[in-house]
Amino acid sequence: MKKPDPPREEKRKMDAPGAPAPASNFIKDIINTDRERGKNDGRVATRFPPEPNGYLHIGHAKSICLNFGIAAEYHGTCNLRLDDTNPVTEEVEYVESIKDNIKWLGFDWEDRLYYASDYFEKFYQFAVDLIKMGKAYVCSLSEEEIKKYRGNFYQPGQASPDRNRSVEENLDLFARMRAGEFPDGAHVLRAKIDLESSNMNLRDPIMYRIKKARHHRTGDRWCIYPMYDFAHCLSDSVEGITHSICTLEFEDHRPLYDWFLDELKVPSHPQQIEFARLNLSYTVMSKRKLLELVEKGIVRGWDDPRIPTISGLRRRGYTPESIREFCERIGVAKAEGIVDVALLEHCVRQDLENRTPRVMVVLNPLRVVVDNLPAGQVEEFDAPYHPTDPGFGSRKVPFSRVIYIEKDDFREDPPPKWFRLSPGREVRLRYACIIKCVKVLKDEKTGEVKELHCTWDPATRGGDTPDGRKIKGTLHWVSADHSLPAEVRLYDRLFHQPNPLEGEEGADFTKTLNPDSLKILISCRIEPSLGKAAPENRYQFERLGYFCVDPDSTPGHLLVFNRTVSLRDSWAKIEKSQEK
Ligand code: ATP
Ligand code: MG
């Protein structure tokens, strides 16, 4: 019944003919020029280097698509490298989730899974080399003193009293730092570069610090750990990366990246290229902020469907194809901006439109008794799973004396242009027939509508009117006896503000949380054909949006559905208005 997602290979083949070639961008321009000049013998090697200190988010997806995409386009390679140089924040759970997410997105690092921690011994030797060259020294100032000595944009830095330690003394101290003789913070190893540089990163940056912490892979073997700037360029070089693609905040670090690679005898000198990170409206992206939401219990976990982690988007019902399409459409640029989340929603809607069967589910049931259908009599109507693609097949939907429609689809006092149900009016039940409302039963105390009585017109089987009378409204519905209970979770934006981080630095970003970002409906009724649905199956619920089965479901007992996205496409509207 449900069309399975095509396997990745097949999907690629389907995409290939006629599909637009991936757009060019400034990174590809650089690579093309490099290849024309014969740099790296025309070879292209990229890497995706996450730090395993949280779950990946859609910003990472942009970087993954870019790095793996470029490698594929140039018949090169893309490594997955876990940049695990900070033992305090890193965990095996994160490593596993990262691998899982990348595979799910449809990318393959083949046998090239690396860890920066595998190079710790190499990094150490490189550091020793720099000391021997007189280009690195052990500094015993405290963290605050180092900061103070470093000066600022207007003031040149001041030399540390340890800057002129002898090579021998430096070698000895560095070896003893490694041996664990000193407590955290007692010494650091610094590169000896330029205290007057206008680039603060070059004012004798720290290369190593003492951290007596257990590492998730190297255990207690090390108590000194390399800093990102030192480890990253060397990891790239050791792996023979040709183009080291990263986000803009590393632009000012590039001179340092190049300095280490120029000073040391390294296997190769990769080129760092920076692009603007992805920001998305109405959400936060940084792992630190996401961790805060998870730890404070503001969301239910790293895979909460309201946050933009890959795991969250997956649970929400996003497809890998829709995320890849989104990343393709936003492109790569040098200027930062915030992408409208409506574009992401548009991409998933477009993808789901042609790959999901359409079914009927009532979220807020209102009981309707069909007076002229005797109890026990069941009419069956044929209903295709897709309006244009017969490949989806069809099912029979049962129609019996008691049915449910949405509470919202009935108004006792309808406004003008109300085509849904109201007293004395007719409406079409999707795939079934025309019914007319003849009586309204209300709660005496509250006045709330409790039950409707209708009659059906057997001459309208299938929904057509043989006498040609116009029926404008069509409702989705289910048979009370045949339908099954379900829980449905509706999501809204997690924040009220398009940019929740706007405003003062350090202000509490959780202040603009949307308290209604999750609505749980527990008395929904699903059509019987959905009884066999399994986690991650996706559907269009007619008139309500796209939904997928949540792993919280207990198949055969109670199914839980997440709404991926509603049917209203604000992005398509924006695009249309721009075409005009
Ligand atoms: P965050 O700032 O969200 O906590 P990070 O930069 O610390 O993320 P890393 O694990 O270091 O996360 O990132 C791995 C790679 O993903 C890096 O190359 C980084 O540049 C890239 N990346 C991270 N966030 C984004 C983003 N929002 N858009 C594009 N690329 C990103
Ligand atoms: Mg980082």
Side-chain angles (χ1 to χ4, degrees):
M1 161 203 113
K2 180 188 173 280
K3 227 184 184 181
D5 299 346
R8 200 160 21 98
E9 279 314 309
E10 209 180 300
K11 170 88 180 147
R12 247 189 235 143
K13 268 187 247 145
M14 282 161 42
D15 277 346
S24 194
N25 59 49
F26 76 94
I27 298 179
K28 290 187 202 170
D29 293 344
I30 295 174
I31 295 177
N32 290 337
T33 308
D34 285 350
R35 278 159 56 92
E36 277 159 25
R37 292 185 183 156
K39 194 172 167 188
N40 306 305
D41 300 323
R43 196 171 55 88
V44 173
T46 59
R47 83 287 169 267
F48 174 65
E51 186 184 348
N53 61 353
Y55 277 58
L56 299 181
H57 51 62
I58 185 136
H60 294 112
K62 174 176 177 176
S63 177
I64 292 167
C65 290
L66 186 59
N67 279 295
F68 280 93
I70 282 181
E73 213 178 316
Y74 291 95
H75 305 290
T77 50
C78 179
N79 299 350
L80 170 58
R81 181 197 320 135
L82 291 141
D83 193 359
D84 55 350
T85 53
N86 183 358
V88 182
T89 54
E90 294 160 7
E91 280 177 35
V92 177
E93 179 198 340
Y94 297 143
V95 174
E96 291 312 313
S97 74
I98 288 169
K99 292 198 283 187
D100 222 53
N101 286 165
I102 298 173
K103 275 190 219 149
W104 179 77
L105 275 175
F107 297 102
D108 187 359
W109 56 86
E110 295 168 343
D111 56 353
R112 294 177 310 277
L113 169 63
Y114 302 114
Y115 293 85
S117 56
D118 287 344
Y119 313 138
F120 279 174
E121 187 60 44
K122 282 198 175 94
F123 297 157
Y124 182 82
Q125 291 308 330
F126 280 125
V128 167
D129 289 347
L130 276 178
I131 295 175
K132 287 182 179 161
M133 292 154 61
K135 302 219 161 160
Y137 61 96
V138 172
C139 175
S140 311
L141 292 177
S142 69
E143 203 180 311
E144 294 85 77
E145 286 169 326
I146 291 179
K147 232 191 209 159
K148 217 171 81 201
Y149 275 63
R150 192 169 267 168
N152 55 41
F153 188 73
Y154 306 98
Q155 268 185 340
Q158 251 185 70
S160 155
D162 305 319
R163 198 170 198 253
N164 290 318
R165 269 182 172 142
S166 68
V167 169
E168 288 68 36
E169 195 184 349
N170 282 321
L171 286 174
D172 174 61
L173 281 172
F174 190 47
R176 286 164 61 197
M177 280 167 66
R178 175 181 184 165
E181 279 189 31
F182 309 113
D184 287 14
H187 309 284
V188 293
L189 183 71
R190 294 175 70 177
K192 199 176 196 172
I193 310 182
D194 180 2
L195 290 169
E196 296 188 2
S197 173
S198 58
N199 185 337
M200 298 298 287
N201 294 303
L202 296 180
R203 294 191 186 176
D204 290 12
I206 298 174
M207 295 164 55
Y208 267 93
R209 73 269 200 236
I210 301 171
K211 226 174 220 186
K212 297 213 161 132
R214 212 185 147 70
H215 186 280
H216 68 106
R217 293 192 82 237
T218 57
D220 294 320
R221 229 173 304 148
W222 291 90
C223 63
I224 54 172
Y225 290 94
M227 300 299 287
Y228 175 89
D229 281 326
F230 181 59
H232 195 76
C233 55
L234 292 174
S235 304
D236 282 346
S237 173
V238 165
E239 290 176 15
I241 301 303
T242 56
H243 299 86
S244 176
I245 302 168
C246 64
T247 35
L248 276 181
E249 69 271 25
F250 293 104
E251 197 166 19
D252 285 348
H253 297 239
R254 184 166 11 106
L256 180 54
Y257 185 102
D258 289 334
W259 187 88
F260 283 126
L261 296 179
D262 287 340
E263 294 297 333
L264 288 162
K265 273 206 184 63
V266 287
S268 72
H269 190 136
Q271 151 121 49
Q272 179 179 302
I273 307 171
E274 308 86 14
F275 70 98
R277 60 171 48 229
L278 165 67
N279 299 303
L280 204 57
S281 61
Y282 297 99
T283 191
V284 290
M285 200 78 98
S286 105
K287 280 186 278 190
R288 212 159 33 86
K289 297 279 187 304
L290 293 170
L291 179 67
E292 194 175 329
L293 293 174
V294 172
E295 281 186 336
K296 286 188 175 161
I298 292 170
V299 296
R300 293 176 160 197
W302 282 104
D303 65 348
D304 189 298
R306 289 169 292 180
I307 55 175
T309 53
I310 312 276
S311 299
L313 291 168
R314 177 178 180 177
R315 189 163 183 178
R316 175 95 172 233
Y318 275 76
T319 57
E321 289 80 2
S322 62
I323 297 176
R324 295 204 305 262
E325 169 67 16
F326 170 72
C327 292
E328 182 66 34
R329 287 189 61 160
I330 55 175
V332 260
K334 270 277 190 193
E336 291 251 359
I338 299 183
V339 174
D340 190 341
V341 68
L343 175 60
L344 179 64
E345 292 168 351
H346 171 75
C347 290
V348 74
R349 235 180 241 117
Q350 283 216 313
D351 189 37
L352 293 176
E353 160 146 27
N354 293 319
R355 66 194 290 171
T356 51
R358 300 189 185 184
V359 293
M360 293 198 287
V361 169
V362 176
L363 300 182
N364 296 298
L366 173 61
R367 199 178 136 90
V368 177
V369 179
V370 183
D371 287 337
N372 58 342
L373 192 62
Q377 185 178 330
V378 180
E379 296 282 326
E380 279 195 327
F381 298 102
D382 199 45
Y385 277 117
H386 197 275
T388 54
D389 184 351
F392 281 92
S394 65
R395 80 286 191 196
K396 298 266 182 232
V397 291
F399 175 64
S400 63
R401 183 174 167 83
V402 182
I403 63 166
Y404 293 119
I405 64 167
E406 295 289 348
K407 278 193 181 127
D408 281 354
D409 281 336
F410 175 78
R411 284 277 190 93
E412 206 181 3
D413 250 331
K417 295 211 174 145
W418 176 262
F419 300 121
R420 297 181 250 169
L421 203 56
S422 58
R425 296 235 204 131
E426 283 190 317
V427 82
R428 177 182 294 105
L429 295 180
R430 185 100 168 112
Y431 306 120
C433 59
I434 311 292
I435 58 167
K436 181 178 187 173
C437 177
V438 294
K439 197 159 112 197
V440 182
L441 300 186
K442 292 199 276 192
D443 185 304
E444 274 175 19
K445 280 198 202 113
T446 63
E448 192 196 348
V449 175
K450 285 285 172 206
E451 182 176 298
L452 303 180
H453 282 252
C454 291
T455 53
W456 80 297
D457 178 355
T460 60
R461 270 198 178 81
D464 291 331
T465 47
D467 58 0
R469 68 184 191 273
K470 287 253 180 304
I471 309 289
K472 279 202 176 158
T474 299
L475 308 184
H476 60 275
W477 58 279
V478 294
S479 160
D481 280 351
H482 301 87
S483 62
L484 305 164
E487 175 180 319
V488 172
R489 300 175 183 168
L490 302 179
Y491 301 98
D492 197 352
R493 315 214 143 138
L494 190 53
F495 293 91
H496 283 306
Q497 301 277 3
N499 179 6
L501 299 181
E502 205 166 53
E504 267 170 68
E505 182 91 32
D508 182 9
F509 72 100
T510 61
K511 275 204 184 114
T512 69
L513 277 166
N514 171 10
D516 299 319
S517 59
L518 169 61
K519 234 183 241 158
I520 301 179
L521 306 175
I522 53 168
S523 34
C524 311
R525 304 294 302 185
I526 58 178
E527 68 164 67
S529 77
L530 276 172
K532 290 193 204 76
E536 295 213 346
N537 285 176
R538 303 182 180 95
Y539 302 90
Q540 184 190 117
F541 290 178
E542 300 232 10
R543 299 175 65 225
L544 298 173
Y546 293 99
F547 292 77
C548 77
V549 182
D550 190 84
D552 279 350
S553 301
T554 42
H557 179 61
L558 184 74
L559 288 172
V560 178
F561 290 87
N562 295 314
R563 177 150 75 184
T564 310
V565 70
S566 69
L567 295 175
R568 217 173 337 114
D569 193 339
S570 53
W571 186 262
K573 263 192 218 143
I574 295 171
E575 263 188 339
K576 259 215 177 108
S577 71
Q578 281 171 349
E579 278 165 20
K580 275 177 200 160

